[in-house]
């Protein structure tokens, strides 16, 4: 356990999958957590299901690509807590299985708006509060696709490369204010909505599902959302207080750079 009692965390894209696993882990560590998600019904259900104790869990329906919606959700969260966030986990994201030859501009634009724009919007609203409070922690969920271009993933790769660059730049800009910024780069993670959608879309284009590529992973299994949550909890903890600007692979050895 990392002794995170008394800290206040916002986790975006928290209704299911990796985001929900992160929220559950931070609650178990003693954090008060606000779950944000574009799906209001699902995030309300998740918050009710994982509430560790009274007052520990808050939730908000918010499209992170909409800066005003982010500002409104942040205001509601601060009111519910009577405190500002110490921790921001930018997990909300979408993807598409498409190359430049068969992509649709509207789908590319939406991926960029959510993955890059959403991360920017949340940091834009939260970082000044952390600065004024004397410190904080920002974790951006990137991907191993942000370190190596992959086929049929142009928009997703572009967005995740950008998030790694944003992480490094913000780490430099915010370090003097006591704010650490790191990224986590998941590999092939199962039990998520994005994985299901990617496998379904890939099947239409002859791409084998993740399960059929499991043998390529040195540790011999697909990742689970809890694998990402465990690393996020470490990076937030004081055990990682000399780490900033890093993009940590959690890929089972699939990617080592």
């Amino acid at each position: 356990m990392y002794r995170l009692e008394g800290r206040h965390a916002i986790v975006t894209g928290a209704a299911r999958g990796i985001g929900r696993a992160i929220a559950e882990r931070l609650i178990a560590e003693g954090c008060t957590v606000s779950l944000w998600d574009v799906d209001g019904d699902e995030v309300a259900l998740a918050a009710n299901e994982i509430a560790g104790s009274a007052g520990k869990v808050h939730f908000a329906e918010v499209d992170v690509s909409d800066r005003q919606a982010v500002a409104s959700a942040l205001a509601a969260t601060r009111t519910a807590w009577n405190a500002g966030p110490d921790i921001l986990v930018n997990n909300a994201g979408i993807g598409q299985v498409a190359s430049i030859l068969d992509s649709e501009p509207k789908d590319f634009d939406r991926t960029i708006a959510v993955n890059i724009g959403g991360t920017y919007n949340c940091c834009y609203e939260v970082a000044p509060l952390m600065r004024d409070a004397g410190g904080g922690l920002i974790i951006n969920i990137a991907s191993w696709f942000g370190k190596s271009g992959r086929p049929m993933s142009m928009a997703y790769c572009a967005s995740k490369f950008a998030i790694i660059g944003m992480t490094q730049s913000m780490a430099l800009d915010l370090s003097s204010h006591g704010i650490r910024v790191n990224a986590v780069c998941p590999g092939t993670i199962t039990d998520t909505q994005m994985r299901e959608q990617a496998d379904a879309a890939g099947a239409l284009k002859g791409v084998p599902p993740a399960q059929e590529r499991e043998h390529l992973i040195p540790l011999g299994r697909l990742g689970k959302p809890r694998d990402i949550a465990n690393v996020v909890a470490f990076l937030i903890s004081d055990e990682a207080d000399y780490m900033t600007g890093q993009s940590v692979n959690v890929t089972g050895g699939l990617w080592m750079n």
Side-chain angles (χ1 to χ4, degrees), residues 41-116:
D41 292 338
E42 285 292 324
V43 75
L45 178 62
N48 288 330
E49 288 179 348
I50 69 176
S53 60
K56 286 282 187 180
V57 180
H58 174 263
F59 69 90
E61 179 181 351
V62 54
D63 179 350
V64 295
S65 71
D66 180 340
R67 191 173 308 149
Q68 185 55 56
V70 170
S72 297
L74 179 58
T77 300
R78 295 175 69 194
T79 297
W81 288 343
N82 194 29
D86 308 293
I87 298 160
L88 170 63
V89 182
N90 288 304
N91 169 73
I94 59 174
Q96 57 172 303
V97 179
S99 74
I100 188 60
L101 297 176
D102 59 359
S103 65
E104 292 291 338
K106 63 179 178 60
D107 294 331
F108 180 90
D109 291 346
R110 182 61 180 162
T111 301
I112 299 304
V114 173
N115 296 4
I116 301 176

Side-chain angles (χ1 to χ4, degrees), residues 112-256:
I112 299 304
V114 173
N115 296 4
I116 301 176
T119 298
Y120 173 83
N121 290 339
C122 291
C123 291
Y124 178 83
E125 296 292 338
V126 170
L129 301 178
M130 292 181 173
R131 175 200 59 200
D132 295 346
L137 298 139
I138 298 174
I139 305 293
N140 299 321
I141 304 302
S143 172
W144 74 293
F145 279 40
K147 294 189 173 183
S148 175
R150 308 299 300 165
M152 305 298 292
S153 302
M154 184 188 64
Y156 190 70
C157 286
S159 69
K160 296 303 183 177
F161 269 85
I163 287 172
I164 290 174
M166 292 167 68
T167 297
Q168 294 175 2
S169 183
M170 286 193 292
L172 294 170
D173 290 337
L174 299 176
S175 60
S176 63
H177 300 290
I179 302 170
R180 293 194 292 110
V181 187
N182 289 294
V184 176
C185 298
T188 307
I189 308 298
T190 191
D191 297 338
T192 69
Q193 184 181 50
M194 184 178 290
R195 176 77 272 143
E196 294 170 1
Q197 291 172 343
D199 281 350
L204 299 176
K205 299 182 179 183
V207 178
Q211 200 68 45
E212 293 184 16
R213 291 177 272 127
E214 187 175 43
H215 67 282
L216 300 174
I217 301 172
L219 289 185
R221 67 173 177 85
L222 299 174
K224 296 284 189 179
R226 68 171 181 271
D227 296 315
I228 310 306
N230 290 341
V231 175
V232 169
F234 167 70
L235 289 172
I236 288 170
S237 78
D238 291 342
E239 302 298 321
D241 65 3
Y242 199 54
M243 293 180 67
T244 195
Q246 304 306 303
S247 298
V248 181
N249 296 332
V250 188
T251 67
L254 183 60
W255 189 254
M256 298 185 180

